[in-house]
Amino acid sequence: MLECNGLGIIAPQVYISKRVIIVASSANPYYPDALEMDPVVMVNLEIIEFSQATCLGEEGDLSVPNERGEVERAQVVKVRYYTLQGEVVVRVFLHVLFSMKLLI
């Protein structure tokens, strides 16, 4: 994920049929304005709220190398997930790049 300048990866992208996502962020050629964010593992992620307001942003998919496109996403997304230790976390992301495939 990091070698490909990605911000996140889901388990099915590496042939694991689980609802697990890893998100990490740092500035890179595709996302030069990305904030520094240590890797976060999210298990059984659910989108529980999202804003009606949207924004456009360029995005790619590690499953389709070298292809990028403009995608409309909610400006604010509230999610609930479990940590690897089984703790429930509710978190709000701004200008999030989550796609519905995260819920697979």
Side-chain angles (χ1 to χ4, degrees), residues 2-24:
L2 297 176
E3 289 177 13
C4 296
N5 298 312
L7 298 179
I9 191 165
I10 59 173
Q13 286 179 296
V14 291
Y15 309 104
I16 298 172
S17 186
K18 301 286 182 191
R19 289 179 48 168
V20 178
I21 174 176
I22 300 172
V23 176

PDB file of all heavy atoms in Angstrom, residues 2-24:
ATOM      1  N   LEU A   2       1.819   1.315   0.913  1.00  0.00           N
ATOM      2  CA  LEU A   2       2.664   2.509   1.002  1.00  0.00           C
ATOM      3  C   LEU A   2       3.581   2.637  -0.208  1.00  0.00           C
ATOM      4  O   LEU A   2       3.804   3.729  -0.715  1.00  0.00           O
ATOM      5  CB  LEU A   2       3.473   2.495   2.297  1.00  0.00           C
ATOM      6  CG  LEU A   2       2.630   2.535   3.583  1.00  0.00           C
ATOM      7  CD1 LEU A   2       3.526   2.417   4.811  1.00  0.00           C
ATOM      8  CD2 LEU A   2       1.785   3.786   3.651  1.00  0.00           C
ATOM      9  N   GLU A   3       4.108   1.520  -0.683  1.00  0.00           N
ATOM     10  CA  GLU A   3       4.992   1.548  -1.857  1.00  0.00           C
ATOM     11  C   GLU A   3       4.260   2.042  -3.100  1.00  0.00           C
ATOM     12  O   GLU A   3       4.874   2.592  -4.008  1.00  0.00           O
ATOM     13  CB  GLU A   3       5.565   0.160  -2.128  1.00  0.00           C
ATOM     14  CG  GLU A   3       6.588  -0.282  -1.099  1.00  0.00           C
ATOM     15  CD  GLU A   3       7.079  -1.694  -1.347  1.00  0.00           C
ATOM     16  OE1 GLU A   3       6.836  -2.255  -2.440  1.00  0.00           O
ATOM     17  OE2 GLU A   3       7.710  -2.249  -0.435  1.00  0.00           O
ATOM     18  N   CYS A   4       2.950   1.849  -3.132  1.00  0.00           N
ATOM     19  CA  CYS A   4       2.145   2.284  -4.280  1.00  0.00           C
ATOM     20  C   CYS A   4       1.490   3.629  -4.043  1.00  0.00           C
ATOM     21  O   CYS A   4       0.600   4.028  -4.786  1.00  0.00           O
ATOM     22  CB  CYS A   4       1.079   1.235  -4.567  1.00  0.00           C
ATOM     23  SG  CYS A   4       1.733  -0.354  -5.079  1.00  0.00           S
ATOM     24  N   ASN A   5       1.905   4.340  -2.981  1.00  0.00           N
ATOM     25  CA  ASN A   5       1.352   5.655  -2.646  1.00  0.00           C
ATOM     26  C   ASN A   5      -0.133   5.608  -2.318  1.00  0.00           C
ATOM     27  O   ASN A   5      -0.864   6.557  -2.577  1.00  0.00           O
ATOM     28  CB  ASN A   5       1.616   6.668  -3.770  1.00  0.00           C
ATOM     29  CG  ASN A   5       3.086   6.890  -3.980  1.00  0.00           C
ATOM     30  OD1 ASN A   5       3.830   7.107  -3.024  1.00  0.00           O
ATOM     31  ND2 ASN A   5       3.523   6.824  -5.218  1.00  0.00           N
ATOM     32  N   GLY A   6      -0.565   4.495  -1.741  1.00  0.00           N
ATOM     33  CA  GLY A   6      -1.963   4.364  -1.350  1.00  0.00           C
ATOM     34  C   GLY A   6      -2.198   4.902   0.046  1.00  0.00           C
ATOM     35  O   GLY A   6      -1.269   5.087   0.832  1.00  0.00           O
ATOM     36  N   LEU A   7      -3.468   5.143   0.347  1.00  0.00           N
ATOM     37  CA  LEU A   7      -3.860   5.619   1.673  1.00  0.00           C
ATOM     38  C   LEU A   7      -4.560   4.533   2.479  1.00  0.00           C
ATOM     39  O   LEU A   7      -4.731   4.664   3.678  1.00  0.00           O
ATOM     40  CB  LEU A   7      -4.786   6.832   1.563  1.00  0.00           C
ATOM     41  CG  LEU A   7      -4.201   8.072   0.903  1.00  0.00           C
ATOM     42  CD1 LEU A   7      -5.249   9.177   0.858  1.00  0.00           C
ATOM     43  CD2 LEU A   7      -2.961   8.547   1.628  1.00  0.00           C
ATOM     44  N   GLY A   8      -4.977   3.479   1.813  1.00  0.00           N
ATOM     45  CA  GLY A   8      -5.677   2.415   2.517  1.00  0.00           C
ATOM     46  C   GLY A   8      -5.733   1.158   1.679  1.00  0.00           C
ATOM     47  O   GLY A   8      -5.508   1.182   0.471  1.00  0.00           O
ATOM     48  N   ILE A   9      -6.011   0.054   2.349  1.00  0.00           N
ATOM     49  CA  ILE A   9      -6.159  -1.222   1.656  1.00  0.00           C
ATOM     50  C   ILE A   9      -7.187  -2.052   2.412  1.00  0.00           C
ATOM     51  O   ILE A   9      -7.281  -1.957   3.642  1.00  0.00           O
ATOM     52  CB  ILE A   9      -4.806  -1.957   1.529  1.00  0.00           C
ATOM     53  CG1 ILE A   9      -4.919  -3.139   0.572  1.00  0.00           C
ATOM     54  CG2 ILE A   9      -4.263  -2.353   2.897  1.00  0.00           C
ATOM     55  CD1 ILE A   9      -3.580  -3.685   0.117  1.00  0.00           C
ATOM     56  N   ILE A  10      -7.977  -2.820   1.680  1.00  0.00           N
ATOM     57  CA  ILE A  10      -8.957  -3.692   2.299  1.00  0.00           C
ATOM     58  C   ILE A  10      -8.536  -5.134   2.092  1.00  0.00           C
ATOM     59  O   ILE A  10      -7.847  -5.462   1.127  1.00  0.00           O
ATOM     60  CB  ILE A  10     -10.378  -3.443   1.747  1.00  0.00           C
ATOM     61  CG1 ILE A  10     -10.437  -3.670   0.240  1.00  0.00           C
ATOM     62  CG2 ILE A  10     -10.851  -2.041   2.098  1.00  0.00           C
ATOM     63  CD1 ILE A  10     -11.839  -3.599  -0.340  1.00  0.00           C
ATOM     64  N   ALA A  11      -8.937  -5.981   3.030  1.00  0.00           N
ATOM     65  CA  ALA A  11      -8.522  -7.383   3.004  1.00  0.00           C
ATOM     66  C   ALA A  11      -8.823  -8.073   1.660  1.00  0.00           C
ATOM     67  O   ALA A  11      -7.959  -8.806   1.155  1.00  0.00           O
ATOM     68  CB  ALA A  11      -9.155  -8.138   4.172  1.00  0.00           C
ATOM     69  N   PRO A  12      -9.994  -7.888   1.050  1.00  0.00           N
ATOM     70  CA  PRO A  12     -10.254  -8.576  -0.228  1.00  0.00           C
ATOM     71  C   PRO A  12      -9.258  -8.229  -1.346  1.00  0.00           C
ATOM     72  O   PRO A  12      -9.080  -9.005  -2.279  1.00  0.00           O
ATOM     73  CB  PRO A  12     -11.670  -8.129  -0.590  1.00  0.00           C
ATOM     74  CG  PRO A  12     -12.310  -7.878   0.737  1.00  0.00           C
ATOM     75  CD  PRO A  12     -11.206  -7.251   1.566  1.00  0.00           C
ATOM     76  N   GLN A  13      -8.572  -7.066  -1.237  1.00  0.00           N
ATOM     77  CA  GLN A  13      -7.575  -6.725  -2.259  1.00  0.00           C
ATOM     78  C   GLN A  13      -6.367  -7.654  -2.203  1.00  0.00           C
ATOM     79  O   GLN A  13      -5.613  -7.725  -3.168  1.00  0.00           O
ATOM     80  CB  GLN A  13      -7.116  -5.275  -2.097  1.00  0.00           C
ATOM     81  CG  GLN A  13      -8.156  -4.270  -2.555  1.00  0.00           C
ATOM     82  CD  GLN A  13      -7.677  -2.854  -2.353  1.00  0.00           C
ATOM     83  OE1 GLN A  13      -7.454  -2.430  -1.223  1.00  0.00           O
ATOM     84  NE2 GLN A  13      -7.528  -2.129  -3.441  1.00  0.00           N
ATOM     85  N   VAL A  14      -6.178  -8.320  -1.083  1.00  0.00           N
ATOM     86  CA  VAL A  14      -5.069  -9.275  -0.953  1.00  0.00           C
ATOM     87  C   VAL A  14      -5.621 -10.680  -0.715  1.00  0.00           C
ATOM     88  O   VAL A  14      -5.011 -11.508  -0.050  1.00  0.00           O
ATOM     89  CB  VAL A  14      -4.065  -8.859   0.144  1.00  0.00           C
ATOM     90  CG1 VAL A  14      -3.300  -7.609  -0.292  1.00  0.00           C
ATOM     91  CG2 VAL A  14      -4.754  -8.618   1.482  1.00  0.00           C
ATOM     92  N   TYR A  15      -6.830 -10.923  -1.272  1.00  0.00           N
ATOM     93  CA  TYR A  15      -7.453 -12.246  -1.296  1.00  0.00           C
ATOM     94  C   TYR A  15      -7.768 -12.804   0.086  1.00  0.00           C
ATOM     95  O   TYR A  15      -7.707 -14.011   0.309  1.00  0.00           O
ATOM     96  CB  TYR A  15      -6.598 -13.225  -2.103  1.00  0.00           C
ATOM     97  CG  TYR A  15      -6.246 -12.681  -3.461  1.00  0.00           C
ATOM     98  CD1 TYR A  15      -4.975 -12.189  -3.728  1.00  0.00           C
ATOM     99  CD2 TYR A  15      -7.206 -12.592  -4.467  1.00  0.00           C
ATOM    100  CE1 TYR A  15      -4.660 -11.652  -4.967  1.00  0.00           C
ATOM    101  CE2 TYR A  15      -6.897 -12.060  -5.707  1.00  0.00           C
ATOM    102  CZ  TYR A  15      -5.617 -11.588  -5.943  1.00  0.00           C
ATOM    103  OH  TYR A  15      -5.308 -11.051  -7.161  1.00  0.00           O
ATOM    104  N   ILE A  16      -8.139 -11.923   1.007  1.00  0.00           N
ATOM    105  CA  ILE A  16      -8.582 -12.349   2.334  1.00  0.00           C
ATOM    106  C   ILE A  16     -10.031 -11.919   2.479  1.00  0.00           C
ATOM    107  O   ILE A  16     -10.352 -10.735   2.407  1.00  0.00           O
ATOM    108  CB  ILE A  16      -7.713 -11.723   3.446  1.00  0.00           C
ATOM    109  CG1 ILE A  16      -6.268 -12.191   3.295  1.00  0.00           C
ATOM    110  CG2 ILE A  16      -8.275 -12.085   4.828  1.00  0.00           C
ATOM    111  CD1 ILE A  16      -5.290 -11.489   4.211  1.00  0.00           C
ATOM    112  N   SER A  17     -10.913 -12.881   2.659  1.00  0.00           N
ATOM    113  CA  SER A  17     -12.337 -12.604   2.710  1.00  0.00           C
ATOM    114  C   SER A  17     -12.766 -12.206   4.128  1.00  0.00           C
ATOM    115  O   SER A  17     -13.461 -12.943   4.821  1.00  0.00           O
ATOM    116  CB  SER A  17     -13.132 -13.828   2.236  1.00  0.00           C
ATOM    117  OG  SER A  17     -14.497 -13.507   2.165  1.00  0.00           O
ATOM    118  N   LYS A  18     -12.309 -11.045   4.540  1.00  0.00           N
ATOM    119  CA  LYS A  18     -12.635 -10.499   5.861  1.00  0.00           C
ATOM    120  C   LYS A  18     -12.967  -9.024   5.703  1.00  0.00           C
ATOM    121  O   LYS A  18     -12.535  -8.371   4.766  1.00  0.00           O
ATOM    122  CB  LYS A  18     -11.444 -10.628   6.829  1.00  0.00           C
ATOM    123  CG  LYS A  18     -10.964 -12.034   7.053  1.00  0.00           C
ATOM    124  CD  LYS A  18     -11.913 -12.810   7.918  1.00  0.00           C
ATOM    125  CE  LYS A  18     -11.353 -14.212   8.157  1.00  0.00           C
ATOM    126  NZ  LYS A  18     -12.307 -15.086   8.746  1.00  0.00           N
ATOM    127  N   ARG A  19     -13.726  -8.482   6.657  1.00  0.00           N
ATOM    128  CA  ARG A  19     -14.060  -7.053   6.651  1.00  0.00           C
ATOM    129  C   ARG A  19     -13.021  -6.306   7.478  1.00  0.00           C
ATOM    130  O   ARG A  19     -13.262  -5.918   8.612  1.00  0.00           O
ATOM    131  CB  ARG A  19     -15.463  -6.846   7.191  1.00  0.00           C
ATOM    132  CG  ARG A  19     -16.529  -7.351   6.218  1.00  0.00           C
ATOM    133  CD  ARG A  19     -17.911  -7.171   6.744  1.00  0.00           C
ATOM    134  NE  ARG A  19     -18.110  -5.819   7.262  1.00  0.00           N
ATOM    135  CZ  ARG A  19     -19.280  -5.317   7.569  1.00  0.00           C
ATOM    136  NH1 ARG A  19     -20.365  -6.024   7.419  1.00  0.00           N
ATOM    137  NH2 ARG A  19     -19.376  -4.102   8.050  1.00  0.00           N
ATOM    138  N   VAL A  20     -11.839  -6.141   6.894  1.00  0.00           N
ATOM    139  CA  VAL A  20     -10.728  -5.464   7.556  1.00  0.00           C
ATOM    140  C   VAL A  20     -10.152  -4.438   6.592  1.00  0.00           C
ATOM    141  O   VAL A  20      -9.990  -4.715   5.404  1.00  0.00           O
ATOM    142  CB  VAL A  20      -9.620  -6.462   7.965  1.00  0.00           C
ATOM    143  CG1 VAL A  20      -8.451  -5.742   8.612  1.00  0.00           C
ATOM    144  CG2 VAL A  20     -10.178  -7.521   8.906  1.00  0.00           C
ATOM    145  N   ILE A  21      -9.846  -3.267   7.123  1.00  0.00           N
ATOM    146  CA  ILE A  21      -9.239  -2.206   6.331  1.00  0.00           C
ATOM    147  C   ILE A  21      -8.087  -1.626   7.139  1.00  0.00           C
ATOM    148  O   ILE A  21      -8.146  -1.568   8.363  1.00  0.00           O
ATOM    149  CB  ILE A  21     -10.260  -1.099   5.988  1.00  0.00           C
ATOM    150  CG1 ILE A  21      -9.586   0.081   5.291  1.00  0.00           C
ATOM    151  CG2 ILE A  21     -11.003  -0.620   7.211  1.00  0.00           C
ATOM    152  CD1 ILE A  21     -10.525   1.170   4.832  1.00  0.00           C
ATOM    153  N   ILE A  22      -7.035  -1.242   6.436  1.00  0.00           N
ATOM    154  CA  ILE A  22      -5.936  -0.512   7.056  1.00  0.00           C
ATOM    155  C   ILE A  22      -5.851   0.836   6.355  1.00  0.00           C
ATOM    156  O   ILE A  22      -5.800   0.895   5.127  1.00  0.00           O
ATOM    157  CB  ILE A  22      -4.601  -1.260   6.921  1.00  0.00           C
ATOM    158  CG1 ILE A  22      -4.688  -2.625   7.583  1.00  0.00           C
ATOM    159  CG2 ILE A  22      -3.469  -0.427   7.542  1.00  0.00           C
ATOM    160  CD1 ILE A  22      -3.471  -3.512   7.333  1.00  0.00           C
ATOM    161  N   VAL A  23      -5.845   1.898   7.147  1.00  0.00           N
ATOM    162  CA  VAL A  23      -5.741   3.255   6.606  1.00  0.00           C
ATOM    163  C   VAL A  23      -4.497   3.898   7.206  1.00  0.00           C
ATOM    164  O   VAL A  23      -4.272   3.814   8.416  1.00  0.00           O
ATOM    165  CB  VAL A  23      -6.986   4.099   6.951  1.00  0.00           C
ATOM    166  CG1 VAL A  23      -6.833   5.521   6.462  1.00  0.00           C
ATOM    167  CG2 VAL A  23      -8.237   3.464   6.374  1.00  0.00           C
ATOM    168  N   ALA A  24      -3.690   4.486   6.359  1.00  0.00           N
ATOM    169  CA  ALA A  24      -2.515   5.252   6.799  1.00  0.00           C
ATOM    170  C   ALA A  24      -2.373   6.411   5.827  1.00  0.00           C
ATOM    171  O   ALA A  24      -2.739   6.297   4.664  1.00  0.00           O
ATOM    172  CB  ALA A  24      -1.265   4.388   6.800  1.00  0.00           C
TER     173      ALA A  24
END
